Amino acid sequence: FFLVMVVGLHGAPDIDPDVEIKINGLVCSICGLGVKNVFKKSIYVKNLKIDSKKQILLLEYNNIGIHPSQIQKMVKNAGYEVTSIKWLKDKKPNRYNKP
């Protein structure tokens, strides 16, 4: 119970996401903790927020950007699989792409 509350509190309300990543199996706050730990270690990630109900990771990256293959690798390292990646800003097409 305590972990669920902590994960919920760490969600950044002021995130301006660049990417929406659908992750197969990301169904609870505890699942999100492993994914969050992997992404927080990356130099590419500025901020992130996990929505386990929708099985998505909202990712705000630093100015250097991030390649889809890097996203896939980080999700895989956390033990999950990317279902799709949606670029939310004009830098990439605003549609879902198969990874």
Side-chain angles (χ1 to χ4, degrees):
F1 178 71
F2 178 72
L3 285 175
V4 172
M5 289 179 57
V6 170
V7 171
L9 292 174
H10 284 325
D14 58 347
I15 185 171
D16 183 20
D18 296 295
V19 183
E20 179 182 291
I21 306 155
K22 286 194 177 185
I23 301 175
N24 189 27
L26 186 66
V27 295
C28 68
S29 299
I30 304 304
C31 300
L33 191 59
V35 173
K36 186 178 219 171
N37 287 338
V38 169
F39 276 85
K40 281 290 190 179
K41 293 177 186 175
S42 172
I43 61 168
Y44 303 106
V45 177
K46 181 177 180 182
N47 211 342
L48 62 89
K49 185 174 182 179
I50 294 174
D51 185 340
S52 58
K53 290 180 183 177
K54 295 180 182 177
Q55 294 189 31
I56 61 170
L57 166 65
L58 296 172
L59 185 66
E60 181 179 0
Y61 53 78
N62 290 318
N63 294 332
I64 52 178
I66 189 167
H67 193 270
S69 64
Q70 293 166 317
I71 292 171
Q72 286 180 302
K73 185 176 179 181
M74 287 189 280
V75 170
K76 187 175 183 176
N77 287 344
Y80 296 94
E81 183 181 329
V82 172
T83 305
S84 64
I85 298 172
K86 182 179 181 182
W87 301 96
L88 301 174
K89 297 191 177 170
D90 293 336
K91 299 174 188 174
K92 299 285 180 184
N94 191 12
R95 58 186 168 86
Y96 280 99
N97 299 309
K98 284 287 184 187

